[in-house]
Amino acid sequence: MLRIGVLTCSDTRSRGEAEDTAGKALISMCEKRGWMVAAYHVVPDDAEAIALAITEMCDVDQVDVVLSTGGTGLGPRDVCPEVTRSLADREVPGIAETIRAESLAKTRRAMLSRGVAAQRGRTLIINFPGSEKGAREAFEIVADQLEHAAEMMAGGGHG
């Protein structure tokens, strides 16, 4: 069973001004697959807060996958991709490339997403868009690969 961490990066949601529909949708989708959501955080679009939450989920909670939502656009406070890269041992570019490529069939704005995917130790970190619709669609694009990715990071074979 996968252990999942969900991180929502949003100034309005962290201040309680808006409900976190994207993060809650990811939690529901993970649970429907039988995966355990072991950590959930809502933080402002702030590099230190994002880094602390990701580090805690990877190093303390020891989740297999961190799914972040928000902070991937072109706004001045959208820093989630930079933080993810700074914490990573290595990038996994095919995941973000595939999300953008498949999302372009639904919206031309997908080309503006700067989300990345990376590995920190035995944890895969994937940045999703901040909207509920975008997060749901991105999840569906990659979900079938997450168990295999976790097995690989744990030293398993290519099966």
Side-chain angles (χ1 to χ4, degrees):
M1 174 191 333
L2 283 183
R3 291 175 46 83
I4 306 291
V6 174
L7 172 63
T8 298
C9 306
S10 171
D11 287 334
T12 58
R13 291 183 184 119
S14 64
R15 289 191 305 252
E17 296 172 16
E19 183 182 355
D20 176 24
T21 59
K24 290 178 181 176
L26 290 174
I27 290 169
S28 175
M29 294 171 83
C30 288
E31 290 174 343
K32 283 181 183 172
R33 287 182 168 265
W35 301 340
M36 180 174 66
V37 177
Y40 169 60
H41 297 281
V42 179
V43 300
D45 288 317
D46 171 78
E48 286 184 35
I50 295 168
L52 182 63
I54 291 174
T55 301
E56 180 179 315
M57 285 190 263
C58 293
D59 301 353
V60 178
D61 299 322
Q62 297 183 339
V63 299
D64 300 303
V65 180
V66 172
L67 303 174
S68 73
T69 178
T72 62
L74 298 175
R77 291 184 51 82
D78 290 331
V79 296
C80 194
E82 288 78 15
V83 173
T84 300
R85 280 189 188 100
S86 75
L87 299 172
D89 299 320
R90 58 186 173 177
E91 286 194 49
V92 187
I95 293 173
E97 291 165 1
T98 301
I99 291 170
R100 271 188 286 280
E102 292 194 24
S103 296
L104 272 170
K106 297 176 182 182
T107 176
R108 300 274 299 149
R109 292 198 176 158
M111 70 177 73
L112 302 177
S113 175
R114 299 179 316 103
V116 300
Q119 182 180 355
R120 177 181 174 91
R122 291 187 175 186
T123 303
L124 179 63
I125 306 162
I126 308 173
N127 303 153
F128 288 162
S131 71
E132 179 182 348
K133 180 179 183 286
R136 283 182 177 279
E137 289 173 354
F139 178 86
E140 289 300 332
I141 291 167
V142 302
D144 67 337
Q145 297 302 308
L146 298 184
E147 289 177 350
H148 182 64
E151 290 171 13
M152 297 296 298
M153 290 183 297
H158 288 281

